[in-house]
């Protein structure tokens, strides 16, 4: 998937502010933050979207949530809370077709925001 932006971030061919990494997951700052803390958590292995997720992808997707938990604790939001969202497909607002979880924190959000 050499034409995938987030695969290029994972392989360090594109720059990013990396905030978390383990063997399966990478998290980095969103370049257009929509909250005081706005990170993107991605599986290192390319998966197009949740709509194309397969049973074998379940573990790495679960690992993304564990990374979110670690980030929430590291950044002091474990108790205050944070939001994890995933846009899926054209009408779901997905622009980058490499599964990513938006981790946003630090601000009250209105319903559906
Ligand atoms: P989505 O609409 O869910 O596909 O979200 C794509 C997100 O990727 C947007 O919030 C963008 O601001 C963000 N984004 C696009 N290019 C980059 C990049 N090179 N580094 C970090 N974030 C990016
Ligand atoms: Zn990719």
């Amino acid at each position: 998937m050499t034409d995938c932006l987030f695969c290029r971030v994972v392989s360090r061919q594109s720059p990013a502010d990396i905030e978390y990494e383990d063997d399966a997951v990478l998290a980095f700052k969103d370049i257009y933050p929509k909250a005081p803390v706005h990170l993107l958590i991605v599986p290192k292995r390319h998966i197009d979207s949740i709509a194309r997720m397969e049973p074998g992808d379940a573990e790495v997707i679960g690992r993304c949530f564990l990374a979110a938990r670690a980030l929430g604790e590291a950044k002091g939001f474990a108790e205050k809370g944070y939001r994890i969202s995933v846009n899926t497909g054209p009408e779901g607002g997905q622009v980058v077709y490499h599964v990513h979880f938006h981790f946003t924190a630090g601000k009250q959000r209105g319903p559906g925001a």
Side-chain angles (χ1 to χ4, degrees):
M1 270 295 164
T2 49
D3 62 341
C4 169
L5 173 60
F6 290 168
C7 281
R8 288 200 303 272
V9 170
V10 168
S11 65
R12 309 301 206 268
Q13 291 171 271
S14 290
D17 276 335
I18 293 168
E19 295 258 333
Y20 174 91
E21 180 169 25
D22 64 31
D23 59 306
V25 175
L26 191 73
F28 49 93
K29 286 185 180 158
D30 194 298
I31 40 166
Y32 301 115
K34 289 152 201 84
V37 176
H38 188 170
L39 307 175
L40 301 174
I41 302 170
V42 306
K44 286 186 169 177
R45 182 160 56 75
H46 183 90
I47 302 167
D48 268 15
S49 94
I50 292 298
R52 297 197 189 279
M53 181 184 167
E54 295 182 1
D57 299 323
E59 205 229 327
V60 75
I61 295 298
R63 295 278 301 274
C64 289
F65 283 94
L66 287 173
R69 175 193 166 160
L71 283 161
E73 288 172 358
K75 295 194 157 288
F77 289 99
E79 302 305 320
K80 284 185 280 189
Y82 45 85
R83 185 170 194 246
I84 300 164
S85 58
V86 54
N87 297 329
T88 303
E91 294 191 9
Q94 187 174 4
V95 174
V96 179
Y97 279 77
H98 178 132
V99 164
H100 52 280
F101 295 87
H102 294 261
F103 177 106
T104 51
K107 192 169 69 174
Q108 272 311 108
R109 304 184 65 98

